Amino acid sequence: MHTGIIVPKIAAGVDWRGFARPGDLRDPRYAASDHLAIGWGEKAFFLETPTWADVKLRTVVASATGSDAVLLHVEHLAAPVTGSDVRAVMLSEREYRRLAGYIAATIRPGAGLSGLCRL
């Protein structure tokens, strides 16, 4: 029930490899995957809400009003396959760089795109 954005680790001059380093993983073998799934949101949604049936009113209220308890979820993945749970969004290089810049700024305020790009 959680949503994330899946990005290639290297594309359009954007390099996410330094963001999710192998040494930061419990099992560094996952770093060999060529994509990252990035999701962020209210802590209770990630930790206490595996299905819609588990949603609690206090979690919804905290999410809707701006909770300070926010988590970032990053997962190393193989190239995604579109299906009922995965939708493809085609972006131009410029649009992708803009999206990557937004994600980077959201994760690390003020970081912008420069920390991810090798120009």
Side-chain angles (χ1 to χ4, degrees):
M1 74 160 275
H2 304 289
T3 301
I5 297 174
I6 301 171
V7 296
K9 287 187 180 174
I10 303 172
V14 178
D15 187 343
W16 293 96
R17 292 176 300 177
F19 172 71
R21 297 178 306 269
D24 294 338
L25 302 173
R26 183 177 303 154
D27 186 343
R29 292 177 294 176
Y30 287 106
S33 300
D34 56 0
H35 284 70
L36 290 177
I38 303 169
W40 54 106
E42 210 282 323
K43 180 180 178 180
F45 259 115
F46 274 109
L47 300 179
E48 301 170 13
T49 317
T51 69
W52 284 111
D54 299 308
V55 174
K56 297 179 180 110
L57 179 60
R58 68 177 159 75
T59 304
V60 173
V61 171
S63 295
T65 59
S67 169
D68 288 336
V70 178
L71 293 181
L72 177 67
H73 179 253
V74 179
E75 185 176 356
H76 295 260
L77 302 170
V81 176
T82 58
S84 63
D85 292 337
V86 178
R87 303 279 190 247
V89 177
M90 300 305 295
L91 302 174
S92 69
E93 183 175 315
R94 181 174 171 262
E95 291 168 330
Y96 176 70
R97 291 173 62 87
R98 206 168 149 204
L99 173 65
Y102 174 79
I103 293 169
T106 301
I107 293 168
R108 295 179 297 150
L113 187 58
S114 62
L116 297 175
C117 284
R118 292 183 305 169
L119 302 174

